[in-house]
Amino acid sequence: MTYRLYYSPGACSMAAHIALEELSLPFVLQAVSTARRETQQGAYLAINPKGRVPVLEIPSETKILTELPAILAYLAKQYPEGGLLPNASAIEEARVVEWLDWLAAWVHGMGYGCLWRPERFCPQDASAHEALQANGRRIVEEAYATIEQTLGDGRLWAISSGYSIVDPYLLVLYRWGNRIGLPMRARFAAWTAQTERMLARPAVQRVLEREAVAIE
Ligand SMILES: N[C@@H](CCC(=O)N[C@@H](CS)C(=O)NCC(=O)O)C(=O)O
């Protein structure tokens, strides 16, 4: 059974790519450039009417799976031997959901949404976009301080019990922080240490090389 992942290099889809690689699953990649807005073109909208990556095609399913947290949760649950949900207790699973929900809805959807796509929030008035972008940056910076504080309690990974599907998402967001000019290394020591641990993982190295993206 071969999965198909629709992705754009360095986009949030990179977290799903890392999960597939960590689990050593058979998959093929289908590039859809967000920079060239290919996600909004008819051919892709016929696959995912939401116009977003990632999309996971699961051969045994008739419908595609969308939404990064759902894709990550599916992979971790389907292949428990891969250890991407390190502790199956109810509270630890809830911690994973707590992280993913906040990262996807608030940090990514609201923070980066306002910053990179202000027209989504106020399509009728371009004069509001600058204020929306400033708000997006504020949301991101506040959230990044929270991430740093959480990681700073001595844990090695996002979840105290071990490496999980949250950590690849944090790597994507770490890279985006550099992209928007935040001094990630200087300001976020604990998150940088967690990122270094990510970069030591062979699966992560393979994904970064394949997507041709670097983490500064
Ligand atoms: N809620 C979605 C958001 C996905 C999303 O925003 N993906 C971005 C790339 S990081 C995208 O496809 N953007 C294309 C566009 O805005 O046209 C998820 O978690 O999967």
Side-chain angles (χ1 to χ4, degrees), residues 27-43:
F27 64 92
V28 292
L29 290 171
Q30 182 88 35
V32 187
S33 166
T34 54
R36 291 196 295 273
R37 308 309 294 265
E38 288 171 2
T39 44
Q40 303 307 314
Q41 291 169 12

Side-chain angles (χ1 to χ4, degrees), residues 83-101:
L84 295 184
L85 284 173
N87 177 337
S89 72
I91 185 62
E92 285 295 273
E93 256 196 67
R95 294 266 170 242
V96 169
V97 176
E98 183 182 44
W99 263 112
L100 292 178
D101 189 36

Side-chain angles (χ1 to χ4, degrees), residues 1-39:
M1 148 150 143
T2 301
Y3 292 98
R4 178 180 297 268
L5 179 71
Y6 293 83
Y7 83 108
S8 184
C12 62
S13 47
M14 195 168 85
H17 188 177
I18 291 173
L20 286 163
E21 193 67 39
E22 291 280 10
L23 295 167
S24 304
L25 295 172
F27 64 92
V28 292
L29 290 171
Q30 182 88 35
V32 187
S33 166
T34 54
R36 291 196 295 273
R37 308 309 294 265
E38 288 171 2
T39 44

Side-chain angles (χ1 to χ4, degrees), residues 181-203:
L182 292 178
M184 296 300 291
R185 280 187 175 275
R187 198 182 289 179
F188 304 114
W191 194 357
T192 298
Q194 183 259 11
T195 299
E196 300 288 0
R197 286 188 277 278
M198 287 297 288
L199 296 179
R201 298 182 74 88

Side-chain angles (χ1 to χ4, degrees), residues 147-181:
I147 293 168
E148 174 64 16
Q149 194 182 22
T150 307
L151 296 177
D153 69 358
R155 68 185 69 190
L156 296 179
W157 303 107
I159 302 298
S160 312
S161 50
Y163 182 67
S164 75
I165 45 177
V166 180
D167 296 290
Y169 205 167
L170 284 180
L171 185 69
V172 170
L173 292 170
Y174 187 95
R175 179 170 170 273
W176 290 0
N178 278 323
R179 279 190 61 199
I180 66 169

Side-chain angles (χ1 to χ4, degrees), residues 11-12 34 39-40 51-54 67-69 108 117 120 176:
C12 62
T34 54
T39 44
Q40 303 307 314
R52 301 277 191 279
V53 288
E67 303 299 322
L68 178 60
H108 182 182
R117 298 268 198 263
R120 269 185 202 157
W176 290 0

Side-chain angles (χ1 to χ4, degrees), residues 100-122:
L100 292 178
D101 189 36
W102 181 67
L103 295 179
W106 184 245
V107 187
H108 182 182
M110 281 299 291
Y112 281 99
C114 280
L115 187 55
W116 283 340
R117 298 268 198 263
E119 68 281 1
R120 269 185 202 157
F121 297 86
C122 197

